[in-house]
Amino acid sequence: MYDVVLLTLGSERDAPGGCGGGGACCGGATGDSPAQETTAADAPEQTGERCETPRVPVLACADALTARGARVETVTARSDKEIDEVLARLDGPPRPDGLTWPDPDSKTRLVVATASDAQLRAVLRRLVRRYAPPPSRRPDDLASNRTVPDLPPVGVLPLDPARSTAQRDLAAQLGLPRDPAAVAAAVLDGTARRLDLLRNDGGSVTLDGALLGAADDQGRPLHWRGRVEVDDTVLSNGDEPLLACAIGNAGGYARLDDVALLGAPDPTDGKVEVAVAVPVVTRSALGRKRVRLEVRRARGRAASVLPRDEKLPYLDDGVAGELSRKRSWWTEPGAWAVWAA
């Protein structure tokens, strides 16, 4: 018999995107440093009534789990502290080195009800902060290509199954179940599917990907400049205009309108795929100027972007922010996991 915690990230305001969508609460990022990440505890009090009743998919999943004999608790967390209180239930026994470590044999299973990929990212960010050891206390049993141990698997319960084919959220990309009863079955009977995680030097994580670039009021891409590197490969030295840069662990940012940016990003191959879109001016035989879009791609263990402009807008797992200094991402192969059927 398992103890199952159904975790929902609550919002101080009853907004369509929910917690994590737009930096209102629970791990939304609004800047390019850890100190600028906004949580529910940091958000100003909003007027109006907060939603206290769990949404229908959460109740349906809880019923399905209970019917299978699981002991179920539903929790709504409105701050990082409240998320951490739930994650503490996944801790393993004390270690001789004093590190907090996940329990690989835990009888507690976690299901995260997600209104957006940003909410799932908020929970994974707290898992990393809980279990990543300081560099000065790196244990011998930590894999040489990782900075975090195997994080506990999580069940993913999308809160809007009806729009799954249009949203192409991470659950849809991974082929995870969306029906609450099917999610319950995966959590109790499924297997842990391990996936790569991108960490970055801003103190956060990326599950799907990031898209860097500016747009005008009509949504048309604007030129910007920045140095983009993947391991030892330089995709742009910062002297030429760019329209976009995609950092891909999965395929959520594989396209920009009708342009294919990323080739085939795979969240299980231990690599990050990066692409830049470069406008190239050519002339026809008659001397007419034409602009074509050149896409350059590279794959590797780590990537970095150094913007040459003052502020570079970006989306990271659906959370908007602005980059004003160098940002580096690196791959943690197989660091996190989802319960899959």
Side-chain angles (χ1 to χ4, degrees):
M1 179 182 295
Y2 291 105
D3 293 317
V4 181
V5 181
L6 258 168
L7 175 63
T8 301
L9 302 192
S11 176
E12 290 293 329
R13 51 191 180 187
D14 189 12
C19 178
C25 56
C26 289
T30 58
D32 60 4
S33 70
Q36 292 175 291
E37 291 187 355
T38 305
T39 68
D42 301 323
E45 279 296 324
Q46 304 292 326
T47 59
E49 183 179 350
R50 299 194 303 188
C51 291
E52 298 292 348
T53 304
R55 291 176 59 171
V56 171
V58 176
L59 297 174
C61 187
D63 289 343
L65 290 164
T66 301
R68 293 286 308 278
R71 293 184 292 260
V72 181
E73 180 182 357
T74 59
V75 177
T76 300
R78 287 189 168 83
S79 68
D80 284 344
K81 179 181 178 182
E82 292 176 346
I83 296 175
D84 293 344
E85 289 172 354
V86 172
L87 301 184
R89 308 183 195 192
L90 307 175
D91 291 354
R95 290 168 51 104
D97 56 16
L99 294 174
T100 301
W101 216 249
D103 185 356
D105 300 317
S106 176
K107 296 302 181 184
T108 299
R109 297 200 166 176
L110 174 65
V111 179
V112 182
T114 60
S116 66
D117 287 342
Q119 292 188 328
L120 184 60
R121 183 188 84 150
V123 175
L124 264 295
R125 183 171 65 91
R126 300 312 301 176
L127 277 172
V128 168
R129 292 197 176 191
R130 183 169 193 84
Y131 294 125
S136 60
R137 298 179 61 193
R138 181 183 178 89
D140 293 337
D141 56 345
L142 184 61
S144 60
N145 62 347
R146 293 256 294 273
T147 64
V148 294
D150 284 354
L151 300 176
V154 298
V156 180
L157 174 62
L159 291 178
D160 195 357
R163 296 193 302 175
S164 60
T165 55
Q167 278 185 299
R168 293 304 296 169
D169 58 13
L170 193 58
Q173 293 180 57
L174 297 175
L176 299 180
R178 304 187 76 92
D179 176 75
V183 173
V187 170
L188 297 180
D189 303 325
T191 57
R193 180 181 174 189
R194 302 219 67 87
L195 303 165
D196 302 336
L197 179 71
L198 295 183
R199 293 191 67 185
N200 66 59
D201 56 4
S204 193
V205 300
T206 302
L207 309 181
D208 187 349
L211 181 65
L212 298 94
D216 61 17
D217 293 339
Q218 284 73 46
R220 294 172 297 197
L222 298 175
H223 292 178
W224 57 277
R225 298 176 189 273
R227 183 177 179 87
V228 181
E229 298 177 79
V230 184
D231 291 348
D232 296 327
T233 300
V234 178
L235 293 179
S236 175
N237 61 12
D239 294 332
E240 59 194 337
L242 304 176
L243 288 183
C245 173
I247 311 287
N249 188 42
Y253 296 98
R255 301 189 67 85
L256 178 66
D257 296 330
D258 295 330
V259 178
L261 294 178
L262 303 176
D266 181 353
T268 64
D269 65 357
K271 302 287 186 181
V272 58
E273 183 173 345
V274 182
V276 294
V278 185
V280 177
V281 178
T282 60
R283 293 189 180 274
S284 68
L286 299 177
R288 294 177 181 174
K289 185 171 69 173
R290 296 178 180 177
V291 179
R292 64 179 177 85
L293 206 58
E294 177 183 293
V295 177
R296 304 170 188 165
R297 303 184 181 97
R299 299 164 61 83
R301 173 72 196 280
S304 67
V305 177
L306 174 61
R308 301 299 189 190
D309 302 320
E310 183 177 351
K311 290 184 179 179
L312 176 62
Y314 68 86
L315 285 174
D316 192 329
D317 282 345
V319 178
E322 290 184 331
L323 202 62
S324 59
R325 60 185 181 186
K326 185 176 181 180
R327 169 63 50 83
S328 297
W329 291 260
W330 66 90
T331 305
E332 302 276 344
W336 74 293
V338 293
W339 290 113

